[in-house]
Amino acid sequence: MNGTDQSAVRAEDAFDVERTHDWLTRQMDDISGPAPDVVQFTGGASNLTYLLKYPHLDTELILRRPPAGKKASSAHDMAREYRVQKALKPAFPLVPTVRALCQDPSVIGADFYVMDKVPGLILRGRLPNGMNLSPERARGLSEAFIDSLADLHQVNPVAAGLADLGKGQGYVRRQVEGWTRRYAQARTWNTPSFRHVTAWLADHQPGDAATCIVHNDWRLDNLVLDENSLQVIGVLDWELATLGDPLMDLGSAMAYWVQADDGRMARAMRRQPSHLPGMLTRAQIVERYCARTGLSGENWPFYEVFGLFRLAVIAQQIYYRYHHKQTRNPAFRNLWMAVNYLDRRCRATIGRTSGS
């Protein structure tokens, strides 16, 4: 895991390390001695993530907890996230090994869980200093990226003990309705209505292609890679995992996949090195995924538009907080421009679809 995404624990995110250590010594036989050194991961998902460094352990530990003041929800439910990984690990070895779940608020004031750190490489928008990828290795990386998602989607939820992870059938309809509602609630004066896009999604939605375990945030920066082979050795951030349609998960993943010939705005939004020479294009990824899973790409434009719209809603929700001065992070200032761009891109995709 890259060291550049670690820092001292922010004051507002601090927790009682000694009390946490005392609790861990009662849960894990291999924990002893003084309390660990703690650093915080600065990026990533909405939950807070810390590295616990115990000098006597062979592995470093990761602690995950919700932000202060957050009630348990699908995005902040530590018990659910812990349970998903514990149940899924035997069937999908890329899941990290979870070690202990705490639901005693007297320890740090919120639920949290601890897991083993997966040592390896996580790629961000730019390759680490000194790293170069040949076209052959880039292609292999993009193949591993999509093959691992296909492998996840072929895990049997019943056999994994996760049959009750989500509502199952009707996922496509619930997703279209839910994201349409979220956008309306977060819209600001300088962003489009998306009415044409949401109406098209509502009118053209297919039935669920299948019901499987979906990750819902499949990106290169949520994958841990072997530093030499660049094969996927770990998958992080399971907070949004549920039972759903695999092609919806693929559509959401492809919304983040910026390729070399995309326009200037798309390239400005890129957060993973998917543009490098040799990387599969979105069309090639979809073709490979469908060949591996046996699913049909006949309705791919729907899933493509859905993924782009979902990304627009996520960007708009973040921008809404900036617009209403709930955050002053300057990185969010121009997200309204990205939302407008995604509306145009959705419309262009719809326009290319026969019978639209």
Side-chain angles (χ1 to χ4, degrees):
M1 192 171 288
N2 297 339
T4 55
D5 59 358
Q6 301 174 18
S7 71
V9 177
R10 293 184 291 261
E12 65 268 28
D13 297 333
F15 62 92
D16 191 324
V17 176
E18 287 288 348
R19 185 170 297 206
T20 303
H21 169 68
D22 289 343
W23 182 85
L24 279 172
T25 60
R26 298 192 297 272
Q27 310 302 315
M28 297 170 55
D29 294 338
D30 50 351
I31 296 291
S32 61
D37 293 329
V38 180
V39 295
Q40 184 172 8
F41 290 100
T42 56
S46 58
N47 290 318
L48 303 177
T49 307
Y50 309 82
L51 179 67
L52 311 183
K53 297 182 178 181
Y54 281 100
H56 66 281
L57 287 183
D58 292 335
T59 182
E60 294 175 318
L61 299 176
I62 299 293
L63 185 148
R64 292 263 291 172
R65 57 161 290 184
K70 288 289 186 183
K71 302 292 186 181
S73 67
S74 60
H76 301 291
D77 188 339
M78 296 294 97
R80 183 181 187 275
E81 191 174 327
Y82 175 89
R83 177 195 162 219
V84 168
Q85 292 175 94
K86 188 175 181 64
L88 190 54
K89 176 73 174 180
F92 191 66
L94 300 180
V95 174
T97 299
V98 294
R99 302 288 294 272
L101 168 69
C102 179
Q103 296 183 280
D104 180 356
S106 70
V107 180
I108 67 170
D111 290 356
F112 68 90
Y113 72 87
V114 172
M115 65 183 185
D116 287 349
K117 178 187 175 185
V118 182
L121 175 68
I122 297 178
L123 295 181
R124 312 293 183 186
R126 295 182 179 180
L127 295 179
N129 290 336
M131 180 180 181
N132 293 298
L133 274 185
S134 67
E136 293 75 20
R137 279 167 61 81
R139 182 182 181 89
L141 171 58
S142 57
E143 290 173 345
F145 167 87
I146 197 56
D147 290 352
S148 298
L149 181 62
D151 290 345
L152 170 65
H153 288 167
Q154 294 178 84
V155 171
N156 186 322
V158 176
L162 293 169
D164 61 346
L165 184 59
K167 296 178 181 178
Q169 282 295 316
Y171 182 82
V172 172
R173 174 184 52 78
R174 291 192 300 273
Q175 289 291 294
V176 171
E177 293 174 353
W179 288 102
T180 299
R181 182 173 61 254
R182 293 181 195 107
Y183 184 78
Q185 293 169 344
R187 188 188 174 195
T188 49
W189 68 268
N190 52 353
T191 52
S193 70
F194 272 90
R195 278 193 293 267
H196 177 66
V197 174
T198 55
W200 185 87
L201 287 170
D203 290 343
H204 290 79
Q205 56 186 297
D208 293 2
T211 297
C212 68
I213 299 167
V214 294
H215 182 274
N216 259 331
D217 201 16
W218 197 267
R219 309 190 314 255
L220 271 176
D221 57 354
N222 277 335
L223 306 184
V224 184
L225 309 174
D226 180 276
E227 295 189 10
N228 296 315
S229 69
L230 298 185
Q231 290 302 298
V232 180
I233 57 174
V235 179
L236 308 178
D237 289 348
W238 291 90
E239 61 189 272
L240 300 178
T242 189
L243 296 186
D245 186 302
L247 292 175
M248 297 286 272
D249 207 15
L250 179 62
S252 297
M254 289 298 91
Y256 291 101
W257 194 266
V258 177
Q259 54 196 50
D261 59 352
D262 282 334
R264 183 176 62 180
M265 180 62 76
R267 296 197 305 271
M269 295 167 59
R270 182 180 57 78
R271 295 294 180 269
Q272 53 188 0
S274 51
H275 66 304
L276 296 176
M279 286 284 188
L280 296 178
T281 64
R282 289 184 295 272
Q284 290 171 326
I285 286 177
V286 172
E287 181 180 6
R288 184 179 179 92
Y289 174 89
C290 290
R292 192 176 179 92
T293 61
L295 294 171
S296 171
E298 180 183 2
N299 291 319
W300 177 248
F302 170 85
Y303 303 105
E304 180 179 1
V305 172
F306 169 78
L308 294 169
F309 172 60
R310 178 181 182 269
L311 179 57
V313 180
I314 293 170
Q316 180 62 29
Q317 288 176 321
I318 297 171
Y319 177 72
Y320 179 92
R321 293 176 54 231
Y322 180 87
H323 184 80
H324 291 281
K325 298 182 171 56
Q326 297 170 8
T327 176
R328 289 288 81 192
N329 188 333
F332 304 153
R333 179 183 297 123
N334 293 321
L335 279 178
W336 66 274
M337 298 172 64
V339 175
N340 278 272
Y341 161 75
L342 289 167
D343 179 59
R344 294 193 299 271
R345 190 162 156 193
C346 285
R347 288 169 173 265
T349 302
I350 291 170
R352 291 193 299 268
T353 303
S354 60
S356 62

